[in-house]
Amino acid sequence: MTWRTVLALAVFVGVCGFIAYFGDLIGRRMGKRRLSLFGLRPRYTAIVSTTITGMLIAIFTIGFMAGVSSQIRTLMLQGEQILRERKAILQEYHDTKIAAKMLAQELLRQESITAKARSESTKAIHQRDILANDIAKLTSELSRLKSDLKRNQAELAKAESQTAIAKGDLASAKKEITYRRMQIAKQRSSIDRLTAQRSRLAKLFVEEMGEAASKWPMYIALREGKIIFRSNEEIARGEIRCNLPKSEIRSRVMAIYDKADQLARDKGAVNGDNRHTIQIMPKKVESDQPNSGRFLKESESVDAIVDQISSSAGSVVVRIVTVGNSVEKEQSLVEFQLYYNRRIYAPRDEVAATVIDGRGTRGQILESLVIFLRRDVRPSAIKAGIIPTFDQDGQPSVGQIAWDNLFDLADQIKSTGKLVRVKAVSTSETWSVGPLGLDLTMSDSK
């Protein structure tokens, strides 16, 4: 409890006591004077006057406290809405804790699968290297045997020609021819055997690689594919009011889903079993039985999101973000994130302020403005509740401002030649969904 609250309660108690005392004082005086109002008896006249006076004092007190304290004014005007929003935020917090627990369990399971995939891939690569080495040896041996075969065939042809010329040494020539033919037959047999063995090893090599690729496609893709979305990267977002009919809420949720699906397709993702390039990460629903449960279907996940939105108050920001890295020619795994959409800035509200030296160069002043936007304005807006977007490098953004405006402001600061105070204010009413419109103003530094 803050000192402002304690002071407000003390003033309220004091005013109540004053009302009671003043009302009693007026009643006694009117009773003694025996005044009459509208023909009423003095007793009833005193009661009516005392009641009206107490009501007027109470109205004046409430108006005075509402005018002095903005918190009391907000409580009187938006108290019921604040309670509803508090209930919705508590429910969102509870759901987020449950989702975080389930995600942590899923992460452990995915890490276990990844470790197993890495081990199997290492084994497959080792086996591939062994088979490739054996195939290379067999190919070398086949080349040598084929070379010997050609040499023996040449020797046979030479022996046969010598037989035709030197008939006197016919027995020796026939013996040489027989020997060469036996060598040729033996070498052909070896070639056939080694060729069959190499074919067998090549088939085994293909089967080994094919099995590894079919069992662990995501792991191989992550090693070799181009990453199109990084982990926890936003693909699409939208705002949905919670008081809409459920059918309309579902339609708008699916519109955001289709938008993310098209963007993933444009980036290089492919359709999966659900005929979309994205798939909602399945969440496990525990049953009463220990070590049992089931994973929600995608349609059931959408139903749960629609129910959560319709049970909230105001409006929510729906974000679709990736779960882990996504690569080309793979389906992207995503999840829905819901945020309560509240008003962050009214028009001309101050976001952040700084002091810049107008005696520096134009480049130094411009650099100071850029640093101010990055180090002061952006963190302040995010801390206030604006949901940022992220670029391909993972840098957050809450809005944009034209470079021409920065150049003009740098010239204005330079023309003063002294220290000035630069303030960033919102150009319009800004909600959590963003983006933030900015206007930079300059004033004398005090």
Side-chain angles (χ1 to χ4, degrees):
M1 184 179 295
T2 63
W3 68 271
R4 293 178 183 272
T5 305
V6 174
L7 180 60
L9 290 175
V11 171
F12 186 74
V13 172
V15 169
C16 289
F18 172 73
I19 292 173
Y21 170 75
F22 192 71
D24 180 67
L25 181 63
I26 291 177
R28 282 189 287 125
R29 287 187 178 182
M30 295 187 69
K32 289 179 180 180
R33 294 182 181 182
R34 303 188 63 80
L35 299 176
S36 177
L37 183 66
F38 303 119
L40 297 175
R41 297 175 59 183
R43 176 183 177 185
Y44 296 115
T45 299
I47 293 174
V48 171
S49 300
T50 302
T51 303
I52 293 175
T53 303
M55 292 170 62
L56 292 174
I57 294 175
I59 292 172
F60 173 77
T61 303
I62 293 173
F64 175 77
M65 294 182 67
V68 171
S69 175
S70 60
Q71 294 182 348
I72 293 178
R73 184 168 60 253
T74 301
L75 182 62
M76 289 190 300
L77 297 178
Q78 304 179 10
E80 185 177 354
Q81 181 182 355
I82 291 173
L83 291 176
R84 289 199 305 268
E85 292 174 356
R86 178 178 178 273
K87 181 179 178 181
I89 291 173
L90 290 176
Q91 181 63 36
E92 180 182 351
Y93 172 72
H94 177 69
D95 295 340
T96 303
K97 285 181 65 178
I98 296 176
K101 183 178 179 181
M102 295 176 65
L103 284 175
Q105 294 175 351
E106 182 65 18
L107 178 61
L108 291 176
R109 189 178 70 85
Q110 293 293 338
E111 288 178 348
S112 175
I113 292 175
T114 302
K116 187 176 181 181
R118 189 179 292 111
S119 175
E120 291 292 333
S121 177
T122 302
K123 291 179 180 178
I125 291 173
H126 179 67
Q127 182 67 19
R128 180 202 64 185
D129 293 340
I130 294 176
L131 292 175
N133 188 43
D134 290 342
I135 292 172
K137 290 180 179 179
L138 289 176
T139 302
S140 176
E141 182 67 16
L142 280 174
S143 298
R144 187 184 64 81
L145 288 174
K146 287 178 179 179
S147 177
D148 291 343
L149 177 61
K150 289 181 179 179
R151 183 172 55 82
N152 285 323
Q153 286 175 337
E155 292 290 338
L156 176 60
K158 182 180 178 181
E160 288 177 343
S161 63
Q162 289 177 351
T163 300
I165 297 172
K167 295 183 179 179
D169 200 7
L170 185 59
S172 177
K174 287 183 177 180
K175 185 176 180 182
E176 179 68 19
I177 290 172
T178 302
Y179 171 75
R180 291 300 177 184
R181 285 178 175 173
M182 289 177 59
Q183 287 293 104
I184 289 172
K186 184 177 180 181
Q187 288 169 351
R188 283 179 174 172
S189 176
S190 297
I191 288 173
D192 293 340
R193 178 176 57 81
L194 291 177
T195 301
Q197 187 176 354
R198 186 177 68 170
S199 299
R200 237 181 1 259
L201 289 176
K203 183 179 179 181
L204 180 60
F205 174 81
V206 173
E207 290 176 352
E208 286 289 338
M209 292 303 99
E211 182 181 2
S214 63
K215 289 176 64 178
W216 313 111
M218 293 183 64
Y219 177 71
I220 294 174
L222 284 175
R223 286 170 55 92
E224 302 177 357
K226 175 185 175 183
I227 294 179
I228 57 176
F229 295 116
R230 299 197 176 275
S231 179
N232 203 37
E233 181 175 346
E234 179 182 300
I235 304 180
R237 74 164 59 183
E239 178 191 3
I240 300 177
R241 295 199 58 81
C242 303
N243 59 356
L244 295 173
K246 279 192 174 183
S247 59
E248 180 64 20
I249 293 177
R250 174 182 292 278
S251 176
R252 299 196 178 192
V253 168
M254 294 309 300
I256 301 172
Y257 181 95
D258 293 339
K259 180 180 177 181
D261 176 58
Q262 184 59 48
L263 180 59
R265 180 174 287 104
D266 294 341
K267 289 278 190 176
V270 298
N271 288 349
D273 294 336
N274 61 350
R275 298 183 180 179
H276 291 283
T277 59
I278 62 174
Q279 181 181 11
I280 301 175
M281 179 178 175
K283 295 183 178 180
K284 189 175 183 181
V285 179
E286 300 293 342
S287 65
D288 297 335
Q289 301 296 330
N291 299 324
S292 62
R294 68 179 184 88
F295 285 93
L296 293 177
K297 299 179 181 178
E298 191 168 65
S299 58
E300 293 175 324
S301 297
V302 174
D303 290 339
I305 294 167
V306 172
D307 290 340
Q308 186 175 351
I309 294 175
S310 63
S311 63
S312 302
S315 64
V316 297
V317 180
V318 180
R319 298 176 69 224
I320 298 181
V321 299
T322 56
V323 179
N325 293 334
S326 299
V327 297
E328 279 185 329
K329 300 180 181 179
E330 290 285 343
Q331 189 179 41
S332 298
L333 192 63
V334 301
E335 66 176 352
F336 277 75
Q337 293 182 356
L338 305 182
Y339 297 86
Y340 174 67
N341 190 30
R342 58 188 180 88
R343 193 179 77 161
I344 306 300
Y345 296 113
R348 310 308 297 176
D349 275 355
E350 179 178 322
V351 180
T354 188
V355 174
I356 295 179
D357 191 352
R359 294 166 294 186
T361 65
R362 186 170 182 265
Q364 290 173 338
I365 295 174
L366 186 61
E367 182 182 5
S368 298
L369 289 173
V370 173
I371 292 175
F372 168 58
L373 292 173
R374 290 179 178 176
R375 295 185 180 178
D376 296 330
V377 176
R378 182 170 62 189
S380 178
I382 294 175
K383 184 178 180 180
I386 292 183
I387 304 171
T389 57
F390 293 86
D391 58 20
Q392 293 182 349
D393 297 327
Q395 293 297 320
S397 174
V398 294
Q400 293 182 346
I401 187 169
W403 278 102
D404 291 341
N405 296 343
L406 291 181
F407 288 134
D408 293 342
L409 182 60
D411 291 337
Q412 295 176 20
I413 296 173
K414 176 64 178 175
S415 64
T416 63
K418 60 181 181 180
L419 293 174
V420 297
R421 185 172 186 267
V422 177
K423 182 170 66 173
V425 297
S426 59
T427 58
S428 60
E429 188 176 62
T430 306
W431 293 69
S432 301
V433 68
L436 172 63
L438 279 179
D439 184 22
L440 299 180
T441 62
M442 180 189 70
S443 60
D444 292 337
S445 175
K446 297 180 180 179

